[in-house]
Amino acid sequence: MSAATVAAMRRAMLDAYAAGVAAVEGERVTADWLHRHPFDGPVSVLAFGKAAGAMARGAQRALDQQLVDGLVVTKAGHADVGGLSDARWRVIEAAHPVTDGPSLAAGQAVADFISALPAERAVLLLVSGGASALVELPVPGVRLDTLARVN
């Protein structure tokens, strides 16, 4: 096989990889879906996982003034929530892949957020990989060290 053929094959594989990654990019995919499936009235957003920031940005872009508030829980160092800095958003960073104290605080924050919602409020739930370690609200008697060991 010639060097030119190998280079062309490598380029084709890298292009296919880039196209695959672009096809699942959280901000664009979320905004596109919401444009095709609009909500009526005000909406609150809960986004959990390593792609939570990107998904929340897409929701904000699509919902615009319908967005009342949102809670984003993502992996520490993955917040990348540029554009989510207004008062409608709360961002929490927790641990992944092993649950930690902030994961428990995030679980309580989610429970509090949901409890405070008006019954008629539409809620958009956006979940990506990592959510199970990032948001934990254990039943009484289950300790953090047990959760961490299981995760």
Side-chain angles (χ1 to χ4, degrees), residues 45-49 52-54 56 70-74 79 81 84 89-93:
V45 175
L46 286 169
F48 316 136
L71 176 60
V72 174
V73 182
T74 192
V81 292
L84 298 181
W89 292 101
R90 178 175 178 201
V91 178
I92 299 172
E93 292 184 331

Side-chain angles (χ1 to χ4, degrees), residues 2 13-14 22 47 61 64 91 99 105 108 138:
S2 73
M13 288 188 296
L14 290 171
R61 182 166 38 117
D64 193 30
V91 178
T99 299
Q108 188 60 57

Side-chain angles (χ1 to χ4, degrees), residues 48-82:
F48 316 136
K50 294 176 287 189
M55 294 185 304
R57 286 192 311 274
Q60 178 175 277
R61 182 166 38 117
L63 294 170
D64 193 30
Q65 297 304 311
Q66 286 181 276
L67 176 68
V68 176
D69 56 2
L71 176 60
V72 174
V73 182
T74 192
K75 181 178 178 177
H78 282 66
D80 187 27
V81 292

